[in-house]
Amino acid sequence: MIEVVNPEETGKRTLNFIEQIVENDLAAGKNGGRIVTRFPPEPNGYLHIGHAKAICLDFGIAKRYGGTCNLRFDDTNPVKEDVEYVDSIMEDIQWLGFQWDNLYYASDYFGQLYDFALDLIKRGLAYVDDQSAETIAQQKGTPTTPGINSPYRDRTPEENLDLFTRMQAGEFEEGSRVLRAKIDMAHSNMHFRDPLMYRILKMSHHRTGDTWNVYPLYDFAHGQCDFFEGITHSLCTLEFEVHRPLYDYFVELLKGEDNYKPRQIEFNRLNITYMVMSKRKMLQLVKEGRVAGWDDPRMPTLCGLRRRGYTPESIRNFVDSIGYTKYDGVIDVGLLEHSIREDLNKRAPRVSAVLNPIKLIVTNYPEGQVEWNATDINPEDKALGTRDVPFSRALYIERDDFMIDAPADYYRLSVGREVRLKNAYIVRCTGYETDAEGLVTTVTCEYLPETKTGQANAKHKVKGTIHYVSTSHCLDAEVRLYDRLLTVANPAEEKDRDFMDMLNPDSLTVLTHAKVEPVLAAAKTLDSFQFTRLGYFNVDPDSTSDRLIFNRTVSLKDTWGKIAGKRAQ
Ligand code: ATP
Ligand code: MG
C-alpha cells in the first residue's frame, strides 16, 4: 500500500518545489512577507479534476503561509463564457473545501488594461494592424526563420491612438483590425513576434454588457491582472512557460519604478489515464449527448465526481499524493480510485445489495419467521454501532453466487456445497429451478441451525461467505455501473484519432432489478455506502422516494494497491 499523507493532519510531507520557492522568498523578505495567490479559471465550462490540482496549490499555498488567495474569473472572451459556469465554479471550489479571500473578474480591469494599451501606443510600443488574422499568422515565421514585419507596423502613435479608440467606439467590423505589441518579428521566442493585445468583438459580455467593443487577449491581460491584485506567486501549468517572458515584459512596462512584481511559476498539468481533461472536449461530449450532462458520473468534472460519490477529502489526498513537478505525465486512474476507496472504507456504512438477483429458498426455515441480526454498520469504526439485518426463509442472492457445474475452487453455491450466509447461518445447497430458457430462477438450500454467526460453539467451517437480502423486506433499486469513458489510456498519444472515436460504448450499465437492504429507505441523496462484496455506491440525485437509484463509485478491487505493493517489495 502506498501511504497517502494529508499534510494538514501530519505535516510529514516534504515541500514541493513551489513551496520551497515561497519559503525562500519569505526568508529573503520579498514583497514584505506578503503571500498572495489566485485561481484564474475561464468561465467557459465546468471545473475538472485537473483544476482541483491547481486549486489545491493556489489555496493551499496561501493557507500554509498565512497569505490570501483570490478567485479571479478570466472572463476576457465573451464568445465562450457564461454565468452558468461562474456559478458552478464557485460551488465546486467551496465543495472542495476552499474559500477565496477576494472575488475578482478580469473584466473588472478592462478600464485599466485599456489605459495601459493607450499608454503603450503613446510610447510607440503598440500599433493597430489592419491585416486579417490569416495574414498575420502567415507572417509569424517559424522557430527557425524570422517573421515578416506588418506594413502597418510603423504607423505613428497619433494614428494608432485614433484607430484604437475608434476600434473601441465600434467603428470597425470584427476581424478588420487588431492591436499588436511592437516588439520583434525575428525574436527567438515566437510569443514576442508582435503578439496580439486586443481584438474587436461586438458581443455582449455577461458582466460589462455592451461597454466594450475591444477585448484583451490572455497574454495582455493575465500578468497585468496579477499586478493590479498584488499577486506574489502566479501559479499555472507548464504550457504557459513559453509565455512567461512576455508576461514579464508587459509587467515590467506596467510597474515602472515599483519594486514589486508578480512571479509566474509553472507546474505539470494533471492528466489521468482513460480521461479527457479539457473543457472544450467535455463540452463536446455534453452537446452531442454522449453523456447525460456536465455532472454525468463518468465525467472528470468535479460535479461529475461528486455525483459519482467522490469526497472532497479523497480528491485532496489524491492531488497531494501526486505532487507538483516540472514534467508532464499521465497518472494511473487506479491511484484516484485508491484514494476514494481509502476514504470511503473509513466512513461508508456497510449494507447488503443484490444487483442481479435470483431467489434462494431456505426450505427447512420456518415460514413467516424473521430474525433481525445485529450487524456492524462499519467494522472499521465500531463506534457507529450496529444495524439489524433481516433473515428469513426467502432470500435474494447474486446470480453469480450459484453455479450449476462449478469448478472445485468455486467457494459459493452449487448443489451439495455449503456457504455461510453473512452474519446468519451456513446453508447446504439442495437444488435449483430454471425457466423455459434454462436460466436459473430459484436455488434451494437447507440451513444448519447450530452454525449461527457469533455462536461460540460454531466449529463447522466453510470457505465462502455470500450476502443476501430478505425478499419480503428488501427494497427495489436501480444501480448504475460505470466503466472508463475512453478505451485508450493516453489519448494524447493517438495523434491521428479524434477522441470521440475512442469513447467506450459500454461505459454505462444500468441494472433495473437490484434489491437492497431495508435500512436504505432512509438514505439521502449523495449518501455513500459500501455494498458488501461489491464496492462503494452512492445515492444518485435522480432517486425519488419510491425509486432508489445508486451509482457505483468504485469497485472493491484495488488494482493500484496491488501495483504499489509489488513495487514496494
Ligand atoms: P481546459 O484546457 O480544460 O479548458 P484551461 O487551462 O483552459 O483548461 P482555465 O480555466 O484557463 O482552464 O484554468 C484555470 C487554472 O487551472 C489555470 O491556472 C490552469 O493552469 C489550471 N489548470 C487547468 N487544467 C489543469 C490541469 N489539467 N492540471 C492542472 N492545472 C490545470
Ligand atoms: Mg483556458
Side-chain angles (χ1 to χ4, degrees):
M1 289 279 261
I2 60 157
E3 192 191 6
V4 180
V5 181
N6 179 347
E8 282 170 23
E9 281 167 16
T10 66
K12 268 197 289 184
R13 183 170 59 66
T14 52
L15 296 184
N16 65 46
F17 79 99
I18 297 171
E19 290 163 339
Q20 262 156 20
I21 291 173
V22 170
E23 293 206 355
N24 291 345
D25 287 350
L26 283 173
K30 227 173 156 185
N31 300 314
R34 257 181 342 112
I35 299 294
V36 188
T37 60
R38 87 288 169 264
F39 174 62
E42 183 178 359
N44 62 348
Y46 283 64
L47 296 182
H48 51 61
I49 185 156
H51 293 111
K53 178 172 176 175
I55 293 170
C56 289
L57 183 67
D58 295 325
F59 288 88
I61 291 270
K63 194 168 172 189
R64 190 174 182 125
Y65 297 103
T68 53
C69 180
N70 299 339
L71 169 59
R72 184 203 312 145
F73 286 102
D74 179 15
D75 57 348
T76 50
N77 183 359
V79 182
K80 293 187 289 174
E81 294 159 8
D82 198 282
V83 275
E84 174 196 347
Y85 301 136
V86 169
D87 295 342
S88 78
I89 288 170
M90 296 202 276
E91 185 184 348
D92 289 346
I93 294 171
Q94 288 174 319
W95 174 74
L96 252 195
F98 298 102
Q99 182 59 52
W100 48 91
D101 295 285
N102 302 290
L103 173 62
Y104 297 119
Y105 294 81
S107 55
D108 297 339
Y109 309 110
F110 280 172
Q112 282 161 280
L113 290 169
Y114 184 77
D115 289 344
F116 181 43
L118 294 178
D119 181 46
L120 293 185
I121 292 173
K122 288 178 200 155
R123 290 157 76 177
L125 295 171
Y127 63 97
V128 172
D129 195 332
D130 298 358
Q131 302 181 106
S132 69
E134 297 76 55
T135 311
I136 292 174
Q138 277 162 16
Q139 294 171 347
K140 251 223 139 144
T142 69
T144 48
T145 54
I148 298 167
N149 283 356
S150 162
Y152 301 96
R153 200 170 192 266
D154 294 321
R155 279 177 159 155
T156 62
E158 293 69 33
E159 192 182 0
N160 285 319
L161 273 182
D162 173 60
L163 287 170
F164 186 54
T165 47
R166 286 165 61 198
M167 280 165 67
Q168 160 54 12
E171 287 187 30
F172 307 122
E173 289 315 301
E174 281 187 16
S176 64
R177 285 182 169 82
V178 289
L179 183 71
R180 297 177 73 177
K182 187 172 176 179
I183 308 180
D184 180 1
M185 287 304 290
H187 203 286
S188 58
N189 182 334
M190 300 282 286
H191 295 281
F192 274 89
R193 296 188 183 176
D194 291 11
L196 305 197
M197 294 163 56
Y198 271 93
R199 67 205 149 151
I200 302 171
L201 283 178
K202 298 202 169 169
M203 240 203 129
S204 207
H205 183 282
H206 67 102
R207 286 180 62 81
T208 57
D210 297 321
T211 310
W212 297 95
N213 289 307
V214 290
Y215 287 90
L217 283 122
Y218 176 87
D219 282 325
F220 187 68
H222 204 86
Q224 286 84 291
C225 292
D226 283 347
F227 179 82
F228 296 139
E229 280 174 25
I231 302 298
T232 55
H233 298 82
S234 179
L235 314 174
C236 61
T237 34
L238 281 172
E239 71 271 23
F240 293 104
E241 194 164 15
V242 285
H243 295 250
R244 192 192 332 132
L246 187 56
Y247 173 105
D248 289 335
Y249 171 85
F250 283 129
V251 166
E252 209 53 58
L253 288 172
L254 179 63
K255 81 180 188 66
E257 298 301 300
D258 202 327
N259 59 17
Y260 147 75
K261 68 175 193 180
R263 172 171 179 189
Q264 175 179 307
I265 304 166
E266 310 84 16
F267 60 90
N268 60 334
R269 218 178 158 82
L270 173 61
N271 290 299
I272 301 181
T273 54
Y274 303 101
M275 287 193 177
V276 282
M277 206 71 83
S278 135
K279 283 181 280 187
R280 185 180 57 77
K281 289 178 180 164
M282 295 191 308
L283 178 64
Q284 195 180 343
L285 291 171
V286 173
K287 272 197 174 155
E288 295 185 17
R290 306 297 286 266
V291 294
W294 286 98
D295 69 343
D296 186 300
R298 290 167 291 180
M299 291 281 268
T301 48
L302 292 180
C303 57
L305 289 164
R306 171 164 72 232
R307 182 166 172 185
R308 174 86 170 251
Y310 275 79
T311 58
E313 291 80 0
S314 70
I315 294 175
R316 295 201 305 260
N317 284 340
F318 165 72
V319 165
D320 200 54
S321 69
I322 57 177
Y324 298 85
T325 72
K326 279 281 187 187
Y327 307 97
D328 271 325
V330 185
I331 301 289
D332 192 319
V333 65
L335 186 56
L336 178 63
E337 294 176 346
H338 172 76
S339 155
I340 184 62
R341 266 188 210 103
E342 280 224 324
D343 195 35
L344 291 180
N345 182 40
K346 283 181 270 163
R347 64 169 90 213
R350 275 50 171 170
V351 293
S352 287
V354 177
L355 304 191
N356 291 300
I358 53 173
K359 271 193 177 157
L360 177 71
I361 306 296
V362 190
T363 52
N364 61 340
Y365 195 83
E367 197 114 29
Q369 183 172 315
V370 182
E371 283 172 67
W372 291 86
N373 297 320
T375 308
D376 283 335
I377 289 175
N378 185 346
E380 301 284 322
D381 186 358
K382 296 273 186 194
L384 293 174
T386 60
R387 70 193 198 274
D388 291 329
V389 181
F391 178 83
S392 67
R393 187 172 194 270
L395 310 171
Y396 285 117
I397 58 167
E398 291 290 349
R399 178 169 292 285
D400 279 356
D401 285 338
F402 173 79
M403 266 181 99
I404 299 174
D405 296 311
D409 60 353
Y410 180 78
Y411 302 122
R412 293 178 260 172
L413 285 172
S414 191
V415 175
R417 297 198 193 177
E418 294 179 351
V419 294
R420 173 168 293 285
L421 295 178
K422 195 171 171 53
N423 267 308
Y425 299 95
I426 291 176
V427 295
R428 182 179 302 130
C429 183
T430 53
Y432 65 93
E433 287 164 23
T434 57
D435 62 14
E437 275 89 53
L439 207 60
V440 174
T441 54
T442 307
V443 175
T444 54
C445 66
E446 288 180 353
Y447 85 117
L448 310 174
E450 72 284 4
T451 60
K452 181 132 196 214
T453 297
Q455 281 183 1
N457 59 357
K459 289 210 185 70
H460 196 121
K461 291 258 189 303
V462 288
K463 282 206 165 141
T465 297
I466 66 171
H467 68 281
Y468 59 88
V469 295
S470 167
T471 59
S472 51
H473 301 90
C474 66
L475 309 170
D476 293 328
E478 175 179 316
V479 174
R480 300 174 179 171
L481 306 179
Y482 303 103
D483 199 353
R484 308 165 159 152
L485 196 53
L486 297 183
T487 52
V488 173
N490 186 1
E493 276 176 358
E494 312 284 315
K495 293 271 179 276
D496 304 321
R497 284 176 73 192
D498 181 26
F499 86 101
M500 293 297 269
D501 300 330
M502 302 178 214
L503 294 183
N504 175 6
D506 303 315
S507 58
L508 170 65
T509 305
V510 181
L511 303 173
T512 51
H513 299 291
K515 308 285 182 187
V516 300
E517 216 182 286
V519 71
L520 285 172
K524 293 188 297 296
T525 301
L526 296 185
D527 280 355
S528 284
F529 300 91
Q530 186 193 98
F531 287 2
T532 305
R533 298 173 66 219
L534 300 175
Y536 295 98
F537 293 73
N538 79 339
V539 181
D540 189 85
D542 284 349
S543 267
T544 59
S545 53
D546 48 29
R547 180 151 191 80
L548 279 166
I549 301 177
F550 293 92
N551 299 307
R552 182 171 65 195
T553 309
V554 68
S555 64
L556 284 182
K557 196 173 64 193
D558 190 343
T559 46
W560 178 261
K562 273 195 207 130
I563 297 166
K566 272 196 200 124
R567 280 187 197 157
Q569 277 165 19

